[in-house]
Amino acid sequence: MTKAPGPYALTGARIFRDNRVWLSDHALVIDGARIAAIVADADLGESIPRRRVAGLLAPGFVDVQVNGGGGVLFNDTRTWDGIAAIGAAHRRFGTTGFLPTFITDTPARMREALAAVREAVARGVPGLLGVHLEGPFLNVARKGIHDPALIRPIRDDDIELIGDFAASLPPGFATLLTLAPECVGPDAVERLAKAGAVLSAGHTDADADTVARARAAGLTGFTHLFNAMPPLAGRAPGPVGAALTDPESYCGIIADLHHVSPVSLAAAIRAHGPARMMLVTDAMPTVGSAEDTFTLAGRAITRAGGRLTAADGTLAGSDLDMASAVRHATGRLGVSLDDALRMASHYPAAFLGLERERGRIAPGMRADLVLLDAALAVIATWIDGREAGDLP
């Protein structure tokens, strides 16, 4: 369906209004890029063009950690059209907002990645919400698949670069940085936060006190909780304990059932509460692609049994999409459908400071939508009021 010159209405679906209530026999009216109204079918004017759909109409998914998709890895394809290809691959799985994620690399390549994001923003790539820099200011002891030779301390020019980039983005876009709090002191954290970056702890060995100091300085999130960080222990709560006892923190979780045991994920959600828990994919190029292998920082990565691993068995991102994450949350983690949809949309949007624009179905919000069937498979998606099949 092409974008209508005036309002049009979606009818026939159950609508998850404002992340609080399911409405039947109502129409969702879209005008341009935004939701204009939600009205009873009986009150919908005859002059409004309408399209009848069937299923569950929910806020489009927001994924804050997307390394690649559709055969494209952002680190290797640092171009605006590479970003567009990644977004197009994930739209098929309900993602209407995403952060292309650039993992630890050289300073020159990081600058190229930021330039590509800036151009993609200028070109209006559908669904693009900014950028996620995962590293290089990490703890080499918790490197995961990151290249240890490229992990390094943060410098003043790094803070200036990231701060200037964050300030250069127009409203509605975010700059997320994953860092190790023990390697990036509170002063640097505070400078980055004041410059407008969203900060998340990851690939870290920090103790709970160090995390608390970073939180006080402006850190607000935790990247792929449990992964690339020490486990919760009786006398060493570490970042996991710090995250789960802090109801104001945002915690990303990779619910592919490989990165973390479903039992541990369920326990974390119950301990923290589902509010501010965020489903993320950490997706690699295999999502939306038939290819089972790719190269990451010179290492061959193979997809087998839903896992992506290097030759030594190290997990290398995931083969997860957001619709599957929602299904796993409801089917394996004991999460209600309402909470799972909020974890896939509202909470990540709020983490990025974009909750006034995205992550809810309500008048005035952007018309970013996903239509799901009873099995929570994606039927259709819309970004800014346009159905995905009509987007470039």
Side-chain angles (χ1 to χ4, degrees), residues 294-309:
F294 64 97
T295 300
L296 178 64
R299 302 174 71 180
I301 308 300
T302 302
R303 170 169 60 184
R307 292 165 55 94
L308 299 178
T309 56

Side-chain angles (χ1 to χ4, degrees), residues 36-59:
I38 303 169
V39 300
D41 287 341
D43 296 330
L44 185 63
E46 292 295 329
S47 63
I48 298 179
R50 62 194 71 195
R51 175 183 171 188
R52 188 166 183 83
V53 295
L56 307 174
L57 198 58

